[in-house]
């Protein structure tokens, strides 16, 4: 499995709706609200044989209220 972190910027007033929709999809292992440029950050484990971009697009990025995302790939745990 590949671990990625995805940050979500939401439309004003839609953060809780987006967070609920993300959890309803049962894709993320952890989800937090954040301060700064993005409103939410999720930790997601992608199956080793899956394309990261397609996996995320098919499962999360069509949620209404998401304005922008930033995906950070991980390589090694220390």
């Amino acid at each position: 499995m590949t671990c990625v972190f995805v940050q979500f910027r939401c439309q004003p007033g839609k953060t809780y709706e987006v967070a609920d929709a993300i959890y309803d999809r049962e894709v993320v292992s952890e989800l937090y609200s954040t301060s700064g440029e993005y409103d939410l950050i999720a930790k997601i484990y992608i199956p080793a044989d899956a394309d990261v971009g397609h996996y995320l697009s098919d499962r999360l990025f069509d949620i209404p209220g998401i304005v922008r995302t930033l995906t950070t790939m991980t390589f090694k745990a220390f």
Side-chain angles (χ1 to χ4, degrees):
M1 297 211 122
T2 302
C3 177
V4 300
F5 291 89
V6 179
Q7 296 182 73
F8 298 88
R9 184 179 300 156
C10 305
Q11 291 176 348
K14 298 291 184 179
T15 301
Y16 287 102
E17 291 175 33
V18 171
D20 288 341
I22 290 170
Y23 262 129
D24 288 346
R25 305 259 175 123
E26 298 181 356
V27 176
V28 305
S29 68
E30 299 174 46
L31 181 65
Y32 299 94
S33 61
T34 59
S35 61
E37 289 187 46
Y38 291 86
D39 303 300
L40 301 167
I41 188 168
K43 184 177 185 181
I44 303 166
Y45 290 97
I46 311 287
D49 62 340
D51 178 83
V52 173
H54 285 140
Y55 186 90
L56 294 172
S57 291
D58 293 345
R59 288 164 179 79
L60 290 174
F61 293 165
D62 64 336
I63 293 172
I66 296 174
V67 174
R68 185 176 181 139
T69 62
L70 174 66
T71 302
T72 303
M73 303 287 294
T74 63
F75 300 104
K76 182 178 177 183
F78 295 95

